Amino acid sequence: MEAACSPPTAGKFVVVGGGIAGVTCAEQLAIHFPSEDILLITASPVIKAVTNFKQVSKVLEEFDVEEQPSTMLENRFPNIKVIESGVKQLNSKEHCILTEDGNQHIYKKLCLCAGAKPKLICEGNPYVLGIRDTDSAQEFQKQLTKAKRIMIIGNGGIALELVYEIEGCEVIWAIKDKAIGNTFFDAGAAEFLTSKLIAEKPEAKIAQKRTRYTTEGRKKEAQTKANAGNTGSALGPDWHEGLDLKGTKEFSHKIHIETMCEVKKIYLQEEFRISEKKSLTFPRDHHNQLVIADKEIWPVYVELTNEKIYGCDFIVSATGVTPNTEPFLCGNKFDVGKDGGLKVDDHMHTSLPDIYAAGDICTASWQPSPVWQQMRLWTQARQMGWYAAKCMAAASVGESTDMDFSFELFAHVTKFFNYKVVLLGKYNAQGLGLDHELILRCTKGQEYIKAILQNGRMMGAVLIGETDLEETFENLILNQMNLSAYGEDLLDPNIDIEDYFD
């Protein structure tokens, strides 16, 4: 039954979601309209704020993300009112949102930034953990202290980080691709990084500049209020800092990678005993392909599609995310993308009047620049939230806005295995077909540089290590200069490429 909304009073700007996209959007609206109340509806007692923002180049940006109590946001922007409650229902015809706390809010413009939740390989199994937010990362750390062996399923950023950070515990890593980090790297870059997995980790941890406010005190009540497993905003690149990821055994790295496979079936201990199948021990070395049956009894067993079975203490499901659209779809005719996100046009507007969306919940459905693609990353959540606020502000006073420059070129800077990693444009030759060439330069343990060219023009690049080439490459991709004349010299370390192109 549809809850009735009272007759519309003058609606407000309303933003749903306390992650990077939602908070950025609310902050920008608060700046545009200092005399109006901006409502931010969030199910979590903490919000994610962008701190130490640096524009590294035209499109590359770096920032830290800090969890803060929502009162800090209200102190910074007195016209932002945070409503700590989940959304029960959206009534788009009446321009009204009903929250779990029983209140209703009339909006004139609404931006949905409710993020995404981890895809779990299997729901409701106590031995399967999804890692997406601070709560689940802390739960993971708690489980890890008792673990001798874990299995990681997935090949995205979180899986990559986990594998590198975990010590004193055997790790079996199952990926569906040929090489690690498939969303970020090709096989060459993966190989460059994998050698670092096998090397011992340096003792001195590099101090991270991110500080954390944790939700310990209020977490208990918040968890009972909001179904704990479903909320919480995304982790970013340094999420494992401040978590001590050590298992029970005394050694640094023990990693075995099973490629080109997925999970076929998960057995609990008793089911496995009845099945009379055999599980394998941890492969001791890669040369001796001796398969040894495991005598040890484990709480949970995983059968992979390559027919191998391993027992472990628990399984980490790090297989990507699904947009959190659920409370908004009922009774509203949104256009939804193939990936389950709310489709938005080049002004972040959904298919319903006065409703915008930004961040992980949305699917970019405009004709993109040939060197941009959507990826559910923090940088894009910030850019989309910022741009959505600009579009909402313009539309509310009857003006139009130009597409934001950040959507001209895909650009992302992060850290993997303590290397700086910069991804630009079609860094994995996405959508270029066979019609492209690669130029590579690799210095083992130091840097890996890959440029992707099509018809002599640079379309993308991967830079791992301190290469100092990001600005030059960014310009070459943006201005589409013909580089055919340079050939392999483009990456010759003895030629200062910047002299050519400044």
Side-chain angles (χ1 to χ4, degrees), residues 72-326:
M72 278 177 76
L73 180 66
E74 294 176 322
N75 292 344
R76 277 202 309 275
F77 297 93
N79 59 329
I80 292 182
K81 303 284 173 271
V82 178
I83 293 157
E84 204 184 295
S85 174
V87 169
K88 192 171 178 185
Q89 193 187 356
L90 163 64
N91 181 339
S92 58
K93 289 191 188 67
E94 308 281 342
H95 276 54
C96 167
I97 257 193
L98 287 129
T99 41
E100 298 282 2
D101 58 13
N103 290 319
Q104 50 186 30
H105 308 278
I106 304 288
Y107 63 84
K108 59 178 170 189
K109 301 269 180 222
L110 168 67
C111 192
L112 301 176
C113 308
K117 52 178 180 292
K119 284 183 198 150
L120 277 190
I121 39 182
C122 111
E123 294 287 341
N125 185 321
Y127 296 103
V128 177
L129 297 181
I131 298 191
R132 172 70 183 163
D133 50 31
T134 327
D135 285 357
S136 54
Q138 280 166 342
E139 174 58 28
F140 165 72
Q141 182 190 5
K142 219 163 53 209
Q143 298 285 346
L144 188 62
T145 53
K146 311 188 283 280
K148 287 183 297 205
R149 183 194 295 167
I150 69 166
M151 185 125 180
I152 295 177
I153 314 289
N155 200 8
I158 283 188
L160 272 172
E161 283 296 350
L162 263 185
V163 169
Y164 181 62
E165 288 296 324
I166 290 168
E167 297 179 354
C169 170
E170 296 172 347
V171 177
I172 293 175
W173 186 12
I175 61 177
K176 65 174 192 292
D177 312 292
K178 284 198 205 53
I180 66 164
N182 184 46
T183 36
F184 296 100
F185 307 122
D186 60 349
E191 181 58 34
F192 175 82
L193 287 171
T194 312
S195 61
K196 181 132 179 188
L197 272 185
I198 296 147
E200 285 302 296
K201 253 170 55 179
E203 269 317 287
K205 272 273 166 76
I206 292 171
Q208 230 46 28
K209 53 185 184 297
R210 220 159 265 207
T211 49
R212 278 250 157 67
Y213 166 89
T214 53
T215 52
E216 274 318 313
R218 302 182 59 190
K219 199 181 290 167
K220 300 294 169 282
E221 50 165 328
Q223 291 224 332
T224 45
K225 274 202 308 227
N227 170 355
N230 298 340
T231 53
S233 29
L235 291 162
D238 292 334
W239 64 271
H240 48 73
E241 293 302 326
L243 294 178
D244 186 20
L245 300 184
K246 278 189 168 41
T248 53
K249 295 195 171 181
E250 276 304 303
F251 54 77
S252 175
H253 271 137
K254 276 231 170 100
I255 294 153
H256 173 69
I257 304 174
E258 289 284 350
T259 57
M260 313 278 290
C261 65
E262 292 181 71
V263 173
K264 184 172 167 186
K265 191 168 165 53
I266 294 175
Y267 300 88
L268 296 176
Q269 200 178 71
E270 186 55 19
E271 296 173 319
F272 186 70
R273 200 182 59 76
I274 297 164
S275 79
E276 293 188 350
K277 295 195 168 185
K278 294 278 179 279
S279 72
L280 305 174
T281 55
F282 188 86
R284 288 292 157 229
D285 62 26
H286 296 295
H287 311 299
N288 184 355
Q289 292 299 325
L290 211 58
V291 175
I292 307 165
D294 199 351
K295 304 266 189 300
E296 191 148 355
I297 292 175
W298 299 93
V300 65
Y301 291 83
V302 182
E303 182 175 2
L304 299 170
T305 48
N306 63 9
E307 308 304 326
K308 293 185 185 175
I309 301 178
Y310 291 101
C312 56
D313 289 301
F314 66 90
I315 301 155
V316 180
S317 177
T319 49
V321 297
T322 343
N324 254 332
T325 52
E326 199 240 342

Side-chain angles (χ1 to χ4, degrees), residues 9-83:
T9 47
K12 295 188 164 93
F13 286 107
V14 178
V15 180
V16 176
I20 290 297
V23 171
T24 305
C25 182
E27 288 178 343
Q28 286 305 314
L29 287 168
I31 294 166
H32 279 293
F33 301 102
S35 57
E36 290 196 35
D37 278 351
I38 313 295
L39 296 189
L40 179 67
I41 300 173
T42 171
S44 160
V46 291
I47 54 110
K48 288 270 200 293
V50 169
T51 57
N52 304 329
F53 179 83
K54 282 204 301 287
Q55 192 75 41
V56 183
S57 63
K58 278 197 197 102
V59 285
L60 268 176
E61 52 186 56
E62 280 189 79
F63 54 85
D64 292 337
V65 170
E66 210 171 275
E67 289 200 328
Q68 300 175 345
S70 50
T71 47
M72 278 177 76
L73 180 66
E74 294 176 322
N75 292 344
R76 277 202 309 275
F77 297 93
N79 59 329
I80 292 182
K81 303 284 173 271
V82 178
I83 293 157

